[in-house]
Amino acid sequence: MGGLTYTMQDTVSLSTSEVYGNVLCELGEKHPEIVGLTADLAKSTKIGFFQEKFPNRFFNVGIAEQNMFSIAAGLAKSGLVPFVSTFAIFTSMRALDQVHTDICYQNLNVKMIATHAGLSFGQAGTTHQCTEDLSIMRAMANCKVIVPADGMETANAILAAYETDGPIYIRINRGFDQKLYDSPDYSFELGKAVELRDGTDLTIIACGSCVYQAVEAAKILDSVDGIKARVLDMHTLKPIDRDAILKAVHETRRLITVEDHNVIGGLGSAVSEVIAESGKGCAFIKLGIPDEFSIIGLHEDLMAHYKIDTNGILENVRELMGRDFEEDDDWEDEV
Amino acid sequence: MNELELKKLEKKAHELRALCVDTVVWAGSGHIGGALSAMDMFTLLYYKYMKIDPSNPDWEDRDRFVLSKGHVGVGFAPVLADKGYFDKELLKTYNHTGSSLGMHLDSTKVPGLDASTGSLGHGLSIAIGIALAAKINDKSYTTYCLLGDGECNEGSVWEAAMSAAHYNVTNLITFVDRNKCMMDGPTEEVMKLEPFADKWKAFGFIVKEVNGHSMKELSEAIEFALGEKSAPVVIIANTVKGCGIDFMENNYKWHYGGLNSEKIQQSKESLNNYYNKRVKGV
C-alpha cells in the first residue's frame, strides 16, 4: 500500500466515513476514471467530498438506489470505476437485484462503499440498522467483502478496492470508530487477517468495530486472568483468510468470533465453514446479534446489550476457557 | 430511406423472424411473441443505424444496445449471429446445457452483447450509465435501449426515466415495444399503463409514437431522436405480439411457447405470407 498520507492525528478529528471521503478525493486526483454516485446521501456517506472536487464525475440520482446501481454498472461497462455510496441496508437489500444482476453477475468494477452498517445507526431503528448485509453480500459470486476496523483500515480498504479489479463491498460505520491503527503503514492485504496480538490459549477473530473491543478484552485477559488471547482482525470476509483460521485452530484450539452482525451468515459463519471443512475440532463461540431484529439505541449501548463489546467478549472467553472439552477428545493427532 | 434499402431491411427482418422461429425450435421453447414484435427494431438498429464492428465486439467507439426486455434473447441472438458476432451454428445449442446461449443472454459469454439482462426494469438505468460514460470519456457513440411495455410496471424504469431527463441524456435513444401483452394477459388488464405517452412526457421525455412495424416510421423517429438535444427521446413503438405469425398475433398466450411440427410448418407459411404482404408495393 502506498500513497496514503494519513496519520493518527488526522483520523482523531475524522469520522470513518470522512476518512473514506478524503481518501476517495486523493484517489480521484490521480485517477480520472473514478466516478462517484449516491442516492441523496452525499453528506451522510461523505462521498460528498468527492462531489465537491469532481462535480462532473459525480451523480446524485436522488432517492433511487435501484437506478443508481444499474447506472454504476453502465458506467463500469464503459471503463470507468464507480464508487457508490449509500447506507448498507439500501445497498444490500433495497437494490440487491441490481447489485446481483447488473454488478456481481457481470463481474463489473464497481466499488460499493456501504455506510451506517451494523448497529452503528442504532438510534435510527431497525429500518436503518443493517445486521444482514454480510450474509447477503458473501453469497454474491464475484464479490469481495471487506469490513474495516477503523478509519485507517478504511483508508487501506478503499485503496485496495481501487487496486483490485471487480465488485467489492466495503462495510463501514456511521460516525467515529475507536482508533485501532496509528498509521496506514501496517501489513494490510486484502484477504489476509492482521494478527494484532499473539496468544496460544484462544483466538478472538473479529471484524469492524468489534476488533477494537477484542484487543481491549485480550489486554484484560492477559493482565487479570493470565490468558493469552490471539486477536485476528479479519477485515476481509471474502475471500476469508483460511490459513489464519486453520493456524488458530491448530495452535489455540479455542475460537471466538465477534461481529456487529446477525450470527447467521456473517464472520462467525464464514469462520465456522472453514473449521468444519478442515475436519479439525475446536471449541467455538459466535458472538453477534442473535436471530432477531435489534433494539434501538446508541451503538456502544447496543454492543454491550448484545455482548459484542469488551465485557461481552471477556464473559464468553472465561466461559469458553472453563469448558472441559479436552478430556473427552483425543487431541494427540493435532499436535 | 430509399426503396432498395427498405427492401433489404424488409428481407432481413423476414429472414431474422424465420431464424428466430428456428431458434425457438432448437431451444425447445422461448419468448417468441415479444421477440417477433421487436424484430423490426432489431433489424433497423443493427442493419442501418448502429456503428458496430462484429469483428471487434469491444470496440470502444461502437454504438451500444441494451436489451432491457432480456427475455427475448431468442429473437436477439439470431440478430447477433447473423451480424457475425458468432457462428449461427451456435443457435442450435440455445438453452442446451452448457451452451453460451441461454434464455436471458449473458454479456460475459455472448460476443456483441452490451449487457446481461433479464431481471426487468434494469436496462434503461444501465443504458443511462453507458450514455453518461460517453460524456465523461468524451466519446460520441449512441446508446440504444429497448424496453418491454409490461416491464414499465417496474418502478425502477421510472427512476431511470427521471434521471435521464434530469441529466439530459440525449445520446441515448429509448424504445418501448408496446405490444400490449404481458405474461398474464393484456397489459391494460394486468396493470394499466395508459396514458402511456403522457407518463413519459411527464417524466421529461420527448415522445415519438410510431407503428413499430413500419421501417419508415421507426426510421424517421430514430433520425429525429439522433438530432434532438433538448431532452431525451422515447420511441413508443406500437407493435403486434407474435408479429408475422397469424395464430400468435396479439395473443398474450404466445408470450412464451414451443412449437410442434405442425405449428412450425404453420409458422413458416404464415411468415412468408406476412412478408409478401409487407413488401407488396415496396
Side-chain angles (χ1 to χ4, degrees), chain A residues 287-298:
Chain A
L287 296 182
I289 321 304
D291 188 21
E292 66 182 46
F293 288 107
S294 37
I295 63 168
I296 294 165
L298 286 169

Side-chain angles (χ1 to χ4, degrees), chain A residues 32 35 56-61 63-68 70-75 77-80 94 97-99 101-102 105-107, chain B residues 62 64 104-108 113-122 125-126 128-130 132-133 136-137 141 156 159-160 163 166-167:
Chain A
V35 292
N56 296 327
R57 286 153 54 190
F58 188 83
F59 303 100
N60 189 335
V61 299
I63 307 166
E65 292 81 7
Q66 300 176 74
N67 185 37
M68 173 170 68
S70 297
I71 287 180
L75 292 163
K77 275 191 167 289
S78 315
L80 298 169
R94 182 62 176 256
D97 189 27
Q98 280 75 10
V99 167
T101 302
D102 302 344
Y105 174 43
Q106 303 189 75
N107 202 15
Chain B
R62 73 191 186 280
R64 269 73 162 175
H104 302 93
L105 298 172
D106 178 346
S107 66
T108 66
L113 189 72
D114 288 317
S116 304
T117 50
S119 188
L120 294 172
H122 295 208
S125 300
I126 298 172
I128 289 167
I130 295 171
L132 288 171
I136 293 172
N137 291 331
Y141 62 76
S156 53
E159 290 183 8
S163 64
H166 179 84
Y167 287 109

Side-chain angles (χ1 to χ4, degrees), chain A residues 58-306:
Chain A
F58 188 83
F59 303 100
N60 189 335
V61 299
I63 307 166
E65 292 81 7
Q66 300 176 74
N67 185 37
M68 173 170 68
F69 283 102
S70 297
I71 287 180
L75 292 163
K77 275 191 167 289
S78 315
L80 298 169
V81 183
F83 277 71
V84 188
S85 282
T86 182
F87 294 170
I89 196 146
F90 304 141
T91 305
S92 64
M93 288 177 240
R94 182 62 176 256
L96 185 60
D97 189 27
Q98 280 75 10
V99 167
H100 166 273
T101 302
D102 302 344
I103 294 170
C104 297
Y105 174 43
Q106 303 189 75
N107 202 15
L108 294 179
N109 200 19
V110 177
K111 314 306 173 190
M112 298 167 269
I113 317 302
T115 69
H116 295 62
L119 301 173
S120 68
F121 203 9
Q123 289 175 305
T126 306
T127 57
H128 283 60
Q129 295 166 358
C130 185
T131 55
E132 302 89 353
D133 57 332
L134 299 177
S135 176
I136 294 165
M137 296 308 298
R138 236 167 40 88
M140 295 291 133
N142 294 329
C143 189
K144 295 182 170 64
V145 178
I146 309 178
V147 189
D150 70 354
M152 208 66 85
E153 189 150 273
T154 299
N156 277 329
I158 298 300
L159 193 59
Y162 173 75
E163 290 170 349
T164 309
D165 200 35
I168 299 186
Y169 179 82
I170 299 179
R171 169 206 233 233
I172 60 178
N173 293 327
R174 176 179 191 256
F176 290 80
D177 283 304
Q178 299 273 12
K179 302 294 181 282
L180 197 65
Y181 295 104
D182 293 340
S183 90
D185 304 322
Y186 64 96
S187 56
F188 181 93
E189 192 184 336
L190 204 150
K192 286 280 165 219
V194 182
E195 187 179 293
L196 291 166
R197 287 177 78 90
D198 195 13
T200 51
D201 292 324
L202 90 157
T203 303
I204 307 169
I205 305 178
C207 66
S209 51
C210 297
V211 181
Y212 176 86
Q213 305 293 337
V215 171
E216 291 304 300
K219 285 179 195 165
I220 296 169
L221 287 166
D222 191 3
S223 61
V224 176
D225 305 72
I227 294 170
K228 304 290 182 198
R230 180 177 300 182
V231 178
L232 297 179
D233 168 9
M234 193 63 77
H235 50 72
T236 307
L237 260 66
K238 190 183 168 192
I240 200 151
D241 188 346
R242 299 176 63 85
D243 292 344
I245 297 168
L246 294 175
K247 191 164 172 275
V249 170
H250 186 76
E251 293 175 359
T252 73
R253 298 178 183 176
R254 296 178 181 86
L255 263 63
I256 288 188
T257 58
V258 202
E259 61 194 307
D260 181 2
H261 183 273
N262 191 303
V263 286
I264 298 173
L267 173 70
S269 294
V271 170
S272 59
E273 286 159 15
V274 175
I275 299 169
E277 283 167 5
S278 74
K280 308 287 183 190
C282 73
F284 183 61
I285 292 178
K286 284 190 295 181
L287 296 182
I289 321 304
D291 188 21
E292 66 182 46
F293 288 107
S294 37
I295 63 168
I296 294 165
L298 286 169
H299 193 199
E300 54 266 37
D301 292 343
L302 296 184
M303 289 182 79
H305 177 83
Y306 291 110

